[in-house]
mmCIF file of all heavy atoms in Angstrom:
data_model
loop_
_atom_site.group_PDB
_atom_site.id
_atom_site.type_symbol
_atom_site.label_atom_id
_atom_site.label_comp_id
_atom_site.label_asym_id
_atom_site.label_seq_id
_atom_site.Cartn_x
_atom_site.Cartn_y
_atom_site.Cartn_z
ATOM 1 N N THR A 1455 96.417 95.195 114.561
ATOM 2 C CA THR A 1455 96.292 94.146 113.650
ATOM 3 C C THR A 1455 96.061 94.730 112.276
ATOM 4 O O THR A 1455 96.501 94.189 111.246
ATOM 5 C CB THR A 1455 95.220 93.171 113.952
ATOM 6 O OG1 THR A 1455 95.401 92.714 115.190
ATOM 7 C CG2 THR A 1455 95.109 91.985 112.961
ATOM 8 N N LEU A 1456 95.380 95.777 112.113
ATOM 9 C CA LEU A 1456 94.926 96.337 110.751
ATOM 10 C C LEU A 1456 96.219 96.825 109.923
ATOM 11 O O LEU A 1456 97.050 97.384 110.489
ATOM 12 C CB LEU A 1456 93.987 97.586 110.982
ATOM 13 C CG LEU A 1456 92.518 97.331 111.015
ATOM 14 C CD1 LEU A 1456 91.876 98.627 111.390
ATOM 15 C CD2 LEU A 1456 91.953 96.771 109.785
ATOM 16 N N GLU A 1457 96.195 96.413 108.726
ATOM 17 C CA GLU A 1457 97.227 96.844 107.741
ATOM 18 C C GLU A 1457 96.695 97.724 106.653
ATOM 19 O O GLU A 1457 97.475 98.291 105.942
ATOM 20 C CB GLU A 1457 97.783 95.538 107.160
ATOM 21 C CG GLU A 1457 98.573 94.599 108.175
ATOM 22 C CD GLU A 1457 99.064 93.413 107.584
ATOM 23 O OE1 GLU A 1457 99.198 93.273 106.284
ATOM 24 O OE2 GLU A 1457 99.505 92.504 108.305
ATOM 25 N N LEU A 1458 95.382 97.690 106.442
ATOM 26 C CA LEU A 1458 94.803 98.529 105.326
ATOM 27 C C LEU A 1458 93.407 99.127 105.679
ATOM 28 O O LEU A 1458 92.617 98.389 106.209
ATOM 29 C CB LEU A 1458 94.562 97.557 104.049
ATOM 30 C CG LEU A 1458 93.860 98.171 102.971
ATOM 31 C CD1 LEU A 1458 94.745 99.341 102.224
ATOM 32 C CD2 LEU A 1458 93.631 97.135 101.832
ATOM 33 N N ILE A 1459 93.319 100.385 105.441
ATOM 34 C CA ILE A 1459 92.009 101.034 105.470
ATOM 35 C C ILE A 1459 91.737 101.801 104.176
ATOM 36 O O ILE A 1459 92.491 102.727 103.902
ATOM 37 C CB ILE A 1459 91.960 102.056 106.657
ATOM 38 C CG1 ILE A 1459 92.132 101.319 108.054
ATOM 39 C CG2 ILE A 1459 90.663 102.851 106.727
ATOM 40 C CD1 ILE A 1459 92.209 102.334 109.248
ATOM 41 N N GLY A 1460 90.685 101.420 103.519
ATOM 42 C CA GLY A 1460 90.496 102.021 102.187
ATOM 43 C C GLY A 1460 90.979 101.171 101.028
ATOM 44 O O GLY A 1460 90.684 99.999 100.939
ATOM 45 N N ARG A 1461 91.747 101.799 100.349
ATOM 46 C CA ARG A 1461 92.516 101.166 99.163
ATOM 47 C C ARG A 1461 93.887 101.247 99.303
ATOM 48 O O ARG A 1461 94.481 102.105 100.026
ATOM 49 C CB ARG A 1461 92.047 101.699 97.783
ATOM 50 C CG ARG A 1461 90.597 101.615 97.502
ATOM 51 C CD ARG A 1461 90.263 102.250 96.204
ATOM 52 N NE ARG A 1461 88.837 102.427 95.897
ATOM 53 C CZ ARG A 1461 88.088 101.558 95.302
ATOM 54 N NH1 ARG A 1461 88.681 100.555 94.808
ATOM 55 N NH2 ARG A 1461 86.826 101.803 95.106
ATOM 56 N N TRP A 1462 94.795 100.391 98.599
ATOM 57 C CA TRP A 1462 96.179 100.632 98.771
ATOM 58 C C TRP A 1462 96.570 101.946 98.138
ATOM 59 O O TRP A 1462 96.116 102.330 97.038
ATOM 60 C CB TRP A 1462 96.960 99.453 97.952
ATOM 61 C CG TRP A 1462 96.724 98.102 98.474
ATOM 62 C CD1 TRP A 1462 96.104 97.093 97.910
ATOM 63 C CD2 TRP A 1462 97.162 97.552 99.727
ATOM 64 N NE1 TRP A 1462 95.988 95.988 98.734
ATOM 65 C CE2 TRP A 1462 96.798 96.281 99.849
ATOM 66 C CE3 TRP A 1462 98.000 98.100 100.797
ATOM 67 C CZ2 TRP A 1462 97.105 95.521 100.934
ATOM 68 C CZ3 TRP A 1462 98.296 97.382 101.934
ATOM 69 C CH2 TRP A 1462 97.842 96.009 101.923
ATOM 70 N N HIS A 1463 97.519 102.620 98.722
ATOM 71 C CA HIS A 1463 98.005 103.921 98.297
ATOM 72 C C HIS A 1463 96.939 104.924 98.212
ATOM 73 O O HIS A 1463 96.840 105.727 97.256
ATOM 74 C CB HIS A 1463 98.773 103.742 96.909
ATOM 75 C CG HIS A 1463 99.736 102.614 97.006
ATOM 76 N ND1 HIS A 1463 100.923 102.614 97.782
ATOM 77 C CD2 HIS A 1463 99.873 101.517 96.279
ATOM 78 C CE1 HIS A 1463 101.549 101.522 97.617
ATOM 79 N NE2 HIS A 1463 100.997 100.840 96.694
ATOM 80 N N ASN A 1464 96.078 105.052 99.182
ATOM 81 C CA ASN A 1464 95.032 106.156 99.118
ATOM 82 C C ASN A 1464 95.754 107.524 99.273
ATOM 83 O O ASN A 1464 96.614 107.629 100.279
ATOM 84 C CB ASN A 1464 94.076 105.960 100.395
ATOM 85 C CG ASN A 1464 92.934 105.101 99.993
ATOM 86 O OD1 ASN A 1464 92.901 104.588 98.901
ATOM 87 N ND2 ASN A 1464 92.156 104.797 100.920
ATOM 88 N N SER A 1465 95.442 108.379 98.429
ATOM 89 C CA SER A 1465 96.127 109.651 98.548
ATOM 90 C C SER A 1465 95.542 110.635 99.673
ATOM 91 O O SER A 1465 96.171 111.510 100.085
ATOM 92 C CB SER A 1465 96.105 110.386 97.177
ATOM 93 O OG SER A 1465 94.681 110.578 96.861
ATOM 94 N N ASP A 1466 94.337 110.232 100.111
ATOM 95 C CA ASP A 1466 93.653 111.148 101.117
ATOM 96 C C ASP A 1466 93.836 110.585 102.514
ATOM 97 O O ASP A 1466 93.314 111.077 103.478
ATOM 98 C CB ASP A 1466 92.140 111.233 100.755
ATOM 99 C CG ASP A 1466 91.438 109.874 100.724
ATOM 100 O OD1 ASP A 1466 92.184 108.877 100.543
ATOM 101 O OD2 ASP A 1466 90.216 109.864 100.702
ATOM 102 N N THR A 1467 94.480 109.469 102.733
ATOM 103 C CA THR A 1467 94.741 109.028 104.018
ATOM 104 C C THR A 1467 95.733 109.845 104.813
ATOM 105 O O THR A 1467 96.809 110.094 104.314
ATOM 106 C CB THR A 1467 95.324 107.624 104.009
ATOM 107 O OG1 THR A 1467 94.462 106.742 103.129
ATOM 108 C CG2 THR A 1467 95.456 106.899 105.371
ATOM 109 N N PRO A 1468 95.473 110.333 105.963
ATOM 110 C CA PRO A 1468 96.282 111.227 106.808
ATOM 111 C C PRO A 1468 97.635 110.453 107.121
ATOM 112 O O PRO A 1468 97.640 109.196 107.224
ATOM 113 C CB PRO A 1468 95.525 111.335 108.097
ATOM 114 C CG PRO A 1468 94.058 111.303 107.675
ATOM 115 C CD PRO A 1468 94.117 110.181 106.724
ATOM 116 N N PRO A 1469 98.737 111.227 107.193
ATOM 117 C CA PRO A 1469 100.100 110.650 107.373
ATOM 118 C C PRO A 1469 100.281 109.791 108.559
ATOM 119 O O PRO A 1469 100.893 108.773 108.529
ATOM 120 C CB PRO A 1469 100.984 111.939 107.463
ATOM 121 C CG PRO A 1469 100.248 113.076 106.723
ATOM 122 C CD PRO A 1469 98.798 112.736 107.048
ATOM 123 N N ASP A 1470 99.611 110.191 109.686
ATOM 124 C CA ASP A 1470 99.811 109.284 111.010
ATOM 125 C C ASP A 1470 99.136 107.976 110.753
ATOM 126 O O ASP A 1470 99.648 106.906 111.186
ATOM 127 C CB ASP A 1470 99.126 110.010 112.154
ATOM 128 C CG ASP A 1470 97.660 110.168 111.950
ATOM 129 O OD1 ASP A 1470 97.162 110.469 110.937
ATOM 130 O OD2 ASP A 1470 96.970 110.082 113.074
ATOM 131 N N ILE A 1471 98.089 107.915 110.033
ATOM 132 C CA ILE A 1471 97.430 106.506 109.783
ATOM 133 C C ILE A 1471 98.220 105.758 108.822
ATOM 134 O O ILE A 1471 98.477 104.537 108.985
ATOM 135 C CB ILE A 1471 96.013 106.739 109.208
ATOM 136 C CG1 ILE A 1471 95.108 107.289 110.365
ATOM 137 C CG2 ILE A 1471 95.391 105.415 108.801
ATOM 138 C CD1 ILE A 1471 93.776 107.579 110.115
ATOM 139 N N VAL A 1472 98.696 106.436 107.770
ATOM 140 C CA VAL A 1472 99.636 105.773 106.768
ATOM 141 C C VAL A 1472 100.736 105.144 107.524
ATOM 142 O O VAL A 1472 101.289 104.007 107.300
ATOM 143 C CB VAL A 1472 100.188 106.783 105.652
ATOM 144 C CG1 VAL A 1472 101.222 106.063 104.916
ATOM 145 C CG2 VAL A 1472 98.962 107.134 104.816
ATOM 146 N N ARG A 1473 101.441 105.895 108.460
ATOM 147 C CA ARG A 1473 102.516 105.405 109.265
ATOM 148 C C ARG A 1473 102.236 104.203 110.106
ATOM 149 O O ARG A 1473 103.060 103.194 109.976
ATOM 150 C CB ARG A 1473 103.158 106.545 110.190
ATOM 151 C CG ARG A 1473 104.296 106.131 111.088
ATOM 152 C CD ARG A 1473 104.736 107.201 111.914
ATOM 153 N NE ARG A 1473 103.658 107.732 112.773
ATOM 154 C CZ ARG A 1473 103.756 108.698 113.751
ATOM 155 N NH1 ARG A 1473 104.971 109.314 113.810
ATOM 156 N NH2 ARG A 1473 102.791 109.047 114.469
ATOM 157 N N TYR A 1474 101.045 104.222 110.783
ATOM 158 C CA TYR A 1474 100.746 103.107 111.566
ATOM 159 C C TYR A 1474 100.399 101.807 110.640
ATOM 160 O O TYR A 1474 100.898 100.696 111.046
ATOM 161 C CB TYR A 1474 99.461 103.310 112.425
ATOM 162 C CG TYR A 1474 99.664 104.431 113.352
ATOM 163 C CD1 TYR A 1474 98.601 105.382 113.603
ATOM 164 C CD2 TYR A 1474 100.747 104.414 114.236
ATOM 165 C CE1 TYR A 1474 98.803 106.391 114.650
ATOM 166 C CE2 TYR A 1474 100.976 105.528 115.132
ATOM 167 C CZ TYR A 1474 99.968 106.463 115.334
ATOM 168 O OH TYR A 1474 100.104 107.432 116.267
ATOM 169 N N LEU A 1475 99.812 101.985 109.586
ATOM 170 C CA LEU A 1475 99.529 100.806 108.764
ATOM 171 C C LEU A 1475 100.681 100.342 108.077
ATOM 172 O O LEU A 1475 100.852 99.121 107.919
ATOM 173 C CB LEU A 1475 98.433 101.354 107.672
ATOM 174 C CG LEU A 1475 97.069 101.680 108.272
ATOM 175 C CD1 LEU A 1475 96.210 102.231 107.090
ATOM 176 C CD2 LEU A 1475 96.381 100.551 108.931
ATOM 177 N N GLU A 1476 101.578 101.199 107.625
ATOM 178 C CA GLU A 1476 102.815 100.754 106.923
ATOM 179 C C GLU A 1476 103.750 100.062 107.828
ATOM 180 O O GLU A 1476 104.467 99.100 107.456
ATOM 181 C CB GLU A 1476 103.605 101.984 106.104
ATOM 182 C CG GLU A 1476 102.681 102.411 104.816
ATOM 183 C CD GLU A 1476 103.423 103.397 104.147
ATOM 184 O OE1 GLU A 1476 104.437 104.000 104.693
ATOM 185 O OE2 GLU A 1476 103.020 103.705 103.038
ATOM 186 N N MET A 1477 103.725 100.492 109.092
ATOM 187 C CA MET A 1477 104.677 99.789 110.053
ATOM 188 C C MET A 1477 104.113 98.272 110.139
ATOM 189 O O MET A 1477 105.010 97.454 110.250
ATOM 190 C CB MET A 1477 104.547 100.443 111.431
ATOM 191 C CG MET A 1477 105.388 101.603 111.545
ATOM 192 S SD MET A 1477 105.624 102.177 113.316
ATOM 193 C CE MET A 1477 103.911 102.129 113.939
ATOM 194 N N LYS A 1478 102.926 98.120 110.215
ATOM 195 C CA LYS A 1478 102.313 96.731 110.381
ATOM 196 C C LYS A 1478 102.648 95.990 109.124
ATOM 197 O O LYS A 1478 102.915 94.759 109.167
ATOM 198 C CB LYS A 1478 100.898 96.799 110.682
ATOM 199 C CG LYS A 1478 100.242 95.510 110.917
ATOM 200 C CD LYS A 1478 100.798 94.739 112.116
ATOM 201 C CE LYS A 1478 100.235 93.444 112.277
ATOM 202 N NZ LYS A 1478 100.877 92.617 113.332
ATOM 203 N N GLN A 1479 102.583 96.656 107.947
ATOM 204 C CA GLN A 1479 102.745 95.995 106.732
ATOM 205 C C GLN A 1479 104.201 95.577 106.490
ATOM 206 O O GLN A 1479 104.535 94.471 106.006
ATOM 207 C CB GLN A 1479 102.431 96.821 105.460
ATOM 208 C CG GLN A 1479 100.830 97.145 105.458
ATOM 209 C CD GLN A 1479 100.602 98.302 104.505
ATOM 210 O OE1 GLN A 1479 101.484 98.666 103.594
ATOM 211 N NE2 GLN A 1479 99.386 98.900 104.520
ATOM 212 N N ASN A 1480 105.111 96.411 106.778
ATOM 213 C CA ASN A 1480 106.547 96.316 106.478
ATOM 214 C C ASN A 1480 107.426 95.558 107.571
ATOM 215 O O ASN A 1480 108.518 95.144 107.246
ATOM 216 C CB ASN A 1480 107.153 97.725 106.129
ATOM 217 C CG ASN A 1480 106.396 98.317 104.934
ATOM 218 O OD1 ASN A 1480 105.888 97.642 104.132
ATOM 219 N ND2 ASN A 1480 106.380 99.739 104.941
ATOM 220 N N LEU A 1481 106.953 95.677 108.807
ATOM 221 C CA LEU A 1481 107.761 95.166 109.858
ATOM 222 C C LEU A 1481 107.190 93.751 110.168
ATOM 223 O O LEU A 1481 106.131 93.517 110.538
ATOM 224 C CB LEU A 1481 107.767 95.963 111.116
ATOM 225 C CG LEU A 1481 108.305 97.368 111.003
ATOM 226 C CD1 LEU A 1481 108.028 98.095 112.351
ATOM 227 C CD2 LEU A 1481 109.768 97.426 110.715
ATOM 228 N N ALA A 1482 108.111 92.804 109.989
ATOM 229 C CA ALA A 1482 107.742 91.389 110.372
ATOM 230 C C ALA A 1482 107.753 91.207 111.853
ATOM 231 O O ALA A 1482 108.727 90.481 112.275
ATOM 232 C CB ALA A 1482 108.640 90.377 109.533
ATOM 233 N N VAL A 1483 106.849 91.759 112.651
ATOM 234 C CA VAL A 1483 106.943 91.688 114.048
ATOM 235 C C VAL A 1483 105.648 91.127 114.488
ATOM 236 O O VAL A 1483 104.572 91.204 113.883
ATOM 237 C CB VAL A 1483 107.232 92.986 114.681
ATOM 238 C CG1 VAL A 1483 108.646 93.507 114.212
ATOM 239 C CG2 VAL A 1483 106.208 93.981 114.367
ATOM 240 N N SER A 1484 105.738 90.653 115.829
ATOM 241 C CA SER A 1484 104.514 90.059 116.504
ATOM 242 C C SER A 1484 103.720 91.234 117.013
ATOM 243 O O SER A 1484 104.164 92.391 116.969
ATOM 244 C CB SER A 1484 105.003 89.293 117.657
ATOM 245 O OG SER A 1484 105.543 90.041 118.644
ATOM 246 N N GLN A 1485 102.449 91.021 117.470
ATOM 247 C CA GLN A 1485 101.638 92.011 117.927
ATOM 248 C C GLN A 1485 102.237 92.688 119.136
ATOM 249 O O GLN A 1485 102.085 93.817 119.343
ATOM 250 C CB GLN A 1485 100.252 91.459 118.100
ATOM 251 C CG GLN A 1485 99.260 92.495 118.723
ATOM 252 C CD GLN A 1485 97.803 92.093 118.694
ATOM 253 O OE1 GLN A 1485 97.272 91.556 117.588
ATOM 254 N NE2 GLN A 1485 97.056 92.082 119.808
ATOM 255 N N ALA A 1486 102.756 91.757 119.938
ATOM 256 C CA ALA A 1486 103.376 92.358 121.282
ATOM 257 C C ALA A 1486 104.559 93.358 120.892
ATOM 258 O O ALA A 1486 104.641 94.291 121.601
ATOM 259 C CB ALA A 1486 104.097 91.074 121.919
ATOM 260 N N ASP A 1487 105.297 92.967 119.863
ATOM 261 C CA ASP A 1487 106.369 93.979 119.477
ATOM 262 C C ASP A 1487 105.767 95.318 118.874
ATOM 263 O O ASP A 1487 106.352 96.407 119.101
ATOM 264 C CB ASP A 1487 107.318 93.303 118.549
ATOM 265 C CG ASP A 1487 108.351 92.314 119.241
ATOM 266 O OD1 ASP A 1487 108.431 92.537 120.369
ATOM 267 O OD2 ASP A 1487 108.853 91.405 118.444
ATOM 268 N N MET A 1488 104.675 95.178 118.201
ATOM 269 C CA MET A 1488 104.007 96.398 117.630
ATOM 270 C C MET A 1488 103.499 97.305 118.685
ATOM 271 O O MET A 1488 103.552 98.523 118.703
ATOM 272 C CB MET A 1488 102.927 95.980 116.701
ATOM 273 C CG MET A 1488 102.313 97.065 116.004
ATOM 274 S SD MET A 1488 103.400 98.061 114.984
ATOM 275 C CE MET A 1488 103.906 96.819 113.782
#
Side-chain angles (χ1 to χ4, degrees):
T1455 307
L1456 272 174
E1457 299 178 6
L1458 173 67
I1459 296 176
R1461 303 174 186 268
W1462 295 112
H1463 309 300
N1464 275 357
S1465 60
D1466 58 344
T1467 306
D1470 63 321
I1471 292 179
V1472 171
R1473 179 180 59 178
Y1474 295 138
L1475 295 175
E1476 287 186 347
M1477 279 197 312
K1478 183 60 180 173
Q1479 295 165 17
N1480 299 331
L1481 298 176
V1483 297
S1484 66
Q1485 181 166 310
D1487 286 336
M1488 185 57 63

